[in-house]
């Protein structure tokens, strides 16, 4: 019913930048929080950044000061601007949204993931 589609991943050199996008579509009444998670091989999925609908944000300590999450509520879209990328940032990045449909059913929706590789 509701789906998220991420884009913008790719290969980048250390110190470089990427901008990820996540577009939510389907039967959406409202989206509460949207966030970005990442999962590296052999590691658990971790929260990278999260934004409430009103724009308040929080970040993992490892990305604080380098990554910025933003939202365009009218477009049901979230972005993750990633600067000063490090090899440790290499992971599959997943978009997540807390979505309520018109039946007031709420739940988490995940995107398919986009690969970010930081390598020299």
């Amino acid at each position: 019913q509701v789906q998220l589609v991420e884009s913008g991943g790719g290969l980048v050199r250390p110190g470089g930048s990427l901008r990820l996008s996540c577009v939510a579509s389907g039967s959406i009444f409202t989206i509460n929080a949207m966030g970005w998670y990442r999962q590296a091989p052999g590691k658990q999925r971790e929260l990278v950044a999260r934004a409430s609908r009103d724009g308040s944000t929080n970040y993992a300590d490892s990305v604080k000061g380098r990554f910025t999450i933003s939202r365009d509520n009218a477009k049901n879209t979230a972005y993750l601007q990633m600067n000063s990328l490090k090899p440790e940032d290499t992971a599959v990045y997943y978009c997540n949204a807390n979505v309520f449909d018109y039946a007031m059913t709420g739940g988490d929706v995940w995107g398919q993931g986009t690969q970010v590789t930081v390598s020299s």
Side-chain angles (χ1 to χ4, degrees):
Q1 187 71 268
V2 178
Q3 67 175 30
L4 307 179
V5 178
E6 304 103 327
S7 62
L11 175 64
V12 67
R13 304 298 184 213
S17 297
L18 285 173
R19 191 192 195 207
L20 306 183
S21 298
C22 171
V23 180
S25 62
S27 182
I28 299 170
F29 176 71
T30 192
I31 302 177
N32 186 15
M34 295 189 78
W36 290 94
Y37 293 71
R38 67 187 181 188
Q39 188 166 21
K43 295 186 176 181
Q44 293 186 339
R45 190 172 299 186
E46 65 173 347
L47 175 68
V48 177
R50 184 174 62 191
S52 299
R53 184 172 178 84
D54 65 1
S56 63
T57 59
N58 65 284
Y59 298 89
D61 288 341
S62 59
V63 308
K64 204 169 297 180
R66 300 187 296 121
F67 291 10
T68 303
I69 187 171
S70 59
R71 292 176 61 169
D72 186 335
N73 292 332
K75 297 180 179 179
N76 288 329
T77 300
Y79 305 94
L80 185 68
Q81 179 67 47
M82 305 185 293
N83 299 325
S84 301
L85 283 161
K86 304 175 180 179
E88 308 93 269
D89 297 317
T90 296
V92 178
Y93 284 70
Y94 298 91
C95 183
N96 172 268
N98 303 126
V99 179
F100 285 84
D101 63 18
Y102 284 92
M104 295 298 104
T105 299
D108 286 346
V109 181
W110 292 89
Q112 82 286 354
T114 184
Q115 177 71 48
V116 172
T117 302
V118 184
S119 176
S120 60

